[in-house]
Amino acid sequence: MRVATIVGNRPQFVKAAAVSAPLRRRHDEVLIHTGQHHDAELSSVFFEELDVPTPDRWLGVAGGDNDSQLSRMRVALGPLLTELAPDAVLVYGDTNSTLAGALAAVDAVRPLVHVEAGMRSFDTTMPEERNRVLTDQLAALLLCSTGGAIDHLREEGVRGEAILVGDVMVDVARAMSERVRSNAPALKRLGLTSGGYLLTTLHRAANVDDPEQLRTFVELLEALHDPVVLPLHPRTRARLEAAGLAGRAAQAAELTPPLGYLEFATLLYHAKAVLTDSGGVQKEAYLAAVPCITLRDRTEWTETVEAGWNTLVGLDPAAALAALAQPKPASRPELYGDGHAGERVVAALDKLV
Ligand code: UDP
């Protein structure tokens, strides 16, 4: 069968790294890159490091607000899906590229497959939550990371078939784990020692688009006692500069450009703890047995909170410090699968033929 896979931003390149190889052993894949993340730091480094196949089609849609991005992606995807006439359209996660792909698939009357279906933060102010919920309503096949995701889909009464496959990011984290463990040069380059620093990321609209929220984040950085490394998403860098906070942030943390997967995963694996508003990083911290302080009030990765490895603190410095003072939990159950989710995605696709 021919599968049109639509990706567009950083976490989706990581997810495609788990699926494209097993998919291409059994089926034809046409990889479509919307262009949402288009530069070397957010895009090509992931293709190179993780052996993701070079995109077959490039739509070049970037910038603008969510609505304009969505509609430009749909306009570009419509004729392309008509031309390719795929047997299925596969999308990952919760971005504009996910929802645009879902809508275009339905317009083209092609079965939609959603990987990482059913995750919910129950915070509909987040564009990502709206993208997830809408995509799941449209999908024919909903491939889930957890049993909880299946339950959410059941409660929402989705029409498609939900299947538990495990989380594809686990496949990638496991495949890279040996290289990450032994990647001392990445630590040395930044003058860090294992366990002696905190790793931070921040890029959610609710945190970075409001200058007051951003100021609170900088205050949180200033309150931390350990050295902090902060790979800056371009959106966050631009907002810090616009708010006149870049200097203070640079005093409080070692600011770096966005890092490639290998370097970032290395810094994550060796960190004392991670502070983040990223979805993927919460999950990767759990896999790496690194405590996570989530800079949001809610998360879709609730199992990590229940297991005691993740604490939601919003942007409250005192709550972050209190969470950092907690000892690591004694156990870390396998919450997100066994590292073979990519193969199960392909096996599930066979059901569509
Ligand atoms: N990541 C990376 N370099 C960075 C920051 C993140 O390689 O400087 C990786 C991270 O390991 C994870 C993915 O990017 O695999 C998460 O992407 P992001 O936080 O942008 O998106 P989210 O998961 O929140 O949708």
Side-chain angles (χ1 to χ4, degrees):
M1 75 194 281
R2 176 186 288 170
V3 180
T5 299
I6 298 168
V7 293
N9 71 0
R10 178 165 71 183
Q12 291 166 338
F13 310 143
V14 177
K15 291 163 196 173
V19 177
S20 278
L23 181 59
R24 286 172 186 228
R25 283 198 284 274
R26 294 257 287 278
H27 301 292
D28 290 334
E29 181 185 46
V30 182
L31 189 62
I32 302 168
H33 190 320
T34 63
Q36 195 179 337
H37 282 170
H38 50 88
D39 53 16
E41 288 165 343
L42 292 181
S43 179
S44 44
V45 65
F46 292 88
F47 286 82
E48 287 153 18
E49 283 187 354
L50 300 175
D51 282 335
V52 182
T54 305
D56 301 289
R57 301 298 180 102
W58 170 264
L59 305 185
V61 178
D65 61 24
N66 283 341
D67 290 338
S68 115
Q69 250 187 26
L70 254 181
S71 62
R72 283 179 290 140
M73 285 175 191
R74 283 184 73 181
V75 166
L77 282 167
L80 182 54
L81 292 186
T82 305
E83 175 205 323
L84 296 171
D87 301 295
V89 175
L90 188 150
V91 296
Y92 296 101
D94 56 19
T95 72
N96 290 341
S97 300
T98 314
L99 182 58
L103 292 166
V106 175
D107 279 343
V109 202
R110 300 285 146 189
L112 173 67
V113 180
H114 186 202
V115 173
E116 209 183 83
M119 300 317 298
R120 295 290 181 267
S121 66
F122 299 100
D123 177 0
T124 47
T125 64
M126 288 180 72
E128 294 87 351
E129 180 77 357
R130 303 194 292 271
N131 292 342
R132 290 179 201 120
V133 171
L134 295 171
T135 300
D136 286 339
Q137 286 297 327
L138 300 173
L141 199 52
L142 300 112
L143 304 180
C144 297
S145 300
T146 66
I150 303 247
D151 294 341
H152 296 149
L153 295 172
R154 222 170 264 143
E155 282 153 24
E156 289 171 20
V158 299
R159 282 190 299 271
E161 183 181 2
I163 301 176
L164 179 63
V165 293
D167 195 283
V168 292
M169 285 176 108
V170 177
D171 300 19
V172 182
R174 289 208 180 176
M176 298 294 280
S177 64
E178 207 30 65
R179 284 177 68 190
V180 163
R181 253 187 285 260
S182 57
N183 187 15
L187 289 187
K188 233 184 244 153
R189 198 173 69 78
L190 287 161
L192 301 168
T193 51
S194 189
Y197 62 93
L198 303 170
L199 179 64
T200 304
T201 76
L202 193 87
H203 70 284
R204 297 259 94 80
N207 278 335
V208 304
D209 287 357
D210 174 352
E212 275 316 303
Q213 289 290 97
L214 212 46
R215 186 180 310 281
T216 313
F217 170 64
V218 172
E219 284 164 9
L220 186 150
L221 290 179
E222 289 169 343
L224 298 171
H225 306 311
D226 300 281
V228 181
V229 183
L230 171 54
L232 267 187
H233 193 281
R235 174 186 195 137
T236 313
R237 180 176 289 280
R239 299 294 191 273
L240 281 170
E241 282 165 5
L245 291 165
R248 271 176 70 185
Q251 288 287 316
E254 175 76 34
L255 306 184
T256 76
L259 303 175
Y261 184 90
L262 181 60
E263 193 169 15
F264 185 82
T266 303
L267 292 194
L268 175 59
Y269 181 82
H270 291 279
K272 176 179 171 185
V274 59
L275 295 94
T276 188
D277 64 1
S278 159
V281 174
Q282 290 174 60
K283 194 169 39 183
E284 288 170 344
Y286 183 80
L287 298 173
V290 172
C292 184
I293 317 289
T294 293
L295 306 173
R296 289 164 44 185
D297 297 324
R298 293 178 189 220
T299 181
E300 56 284 9
W301 303 103
T302 49
E303 306 80 10
T304 58
V305 178
E306 285 149 20
W309 285 86
N310 188 2
T311 311
L312 305 177
V313 302
L315 291 176
D316 181 346
L321 287 174
L324 281 168
Q326 294 302 313
K328 282 188 187 187
S331 68
R332 197 167 49 88
E334 190 177 82
L335 298 175
Y336 297 116
D338 58 2
H340 295 281
E343 291 153 32
R344 287 196 201 93
V345 167
V346 180
L349 274 168
D350 292 343
K351 284 174 165 263
L352 284 175
V353 212

